[in-house]
Amino acid sequence: MPRTTGRNSRRNTGRSTLPAKRHSRPAMQEYDRLPAELRRWLAGALLPWRPRSVARAFDKALARTGDRRRALAELDQLQRRLIARDAAAIWGRDHPDAG
């Protein structure tokens, strides 16, 4: 069952199996500190990513690949995997996006 309880259930985060967390830093300040390419990626993201989470995932992918475009492609793949997991958990394994 997806986590939809607590304070975050009233926010515009949709239904997701991603854990809800409290954060002390304002998200918009974190967003503004991101490089332009990550701000563009995050603006088009399908999931409610935190700027710090995107930066951390991008840094790991960049360290692995050594290429910024390939690191962004890895973010796309990561997001698709998370969507597939959510689709199966929320709408069932027969959903077209379920992995």
Side-chain angles (χ1 to χ4, degrees):
M1 183 98 191
R3 292 180 177 177
T4 57
T5 60
R7 209 170 92 109
N8 286 332
S9 65
R10 293 184 299 267
R11 293 184 180 170
N12 187 21
T13 58
R15 291 177 63 192
S16 175
T17 60
L18 298 173
K21 298 179 185 176
R22 292 180 65 109
H23 300 278
S24 60
R25 290 189 183 163
M28 285 309 295
Q29 287 179 1
E30 290 180 3
Y31 178 84
D32 291 341
R33 289 186 181 117
L34 291 175
E37 61 199 343
L38 285 182
R39 288 194 309 267
R40 279 191 300 273
W41 187 90
L42 191 55
L46 301 174
L47 294 174
W49 289 86
R50 295 285 302 184
R52 186 181 298 169
S53 298
V54 171
R56 191 173 24 236
F58 178 78
D59 289 344
K60 286 180 184 179
L62 184 59
R64 246 189 332 274
T65 65
D67 180 82
R68 298 182 88 72
R69 281 185 284 157
R70 287 174 49 197
L72 288 170
E74 284 198 16
L75 285 180
D76 290 335
Q77 291 173 348
L78 174 60
Q79 181 167 244
R80 281 192 297 272
R81 283 194 307 269
L82 292 171
I83 290 170
R85 183 186 71 191
D86 276 358
I90 294 170
W91 297 292
R93 298 204 182 278
D94 293 334
H95 189 275
D97 289 331

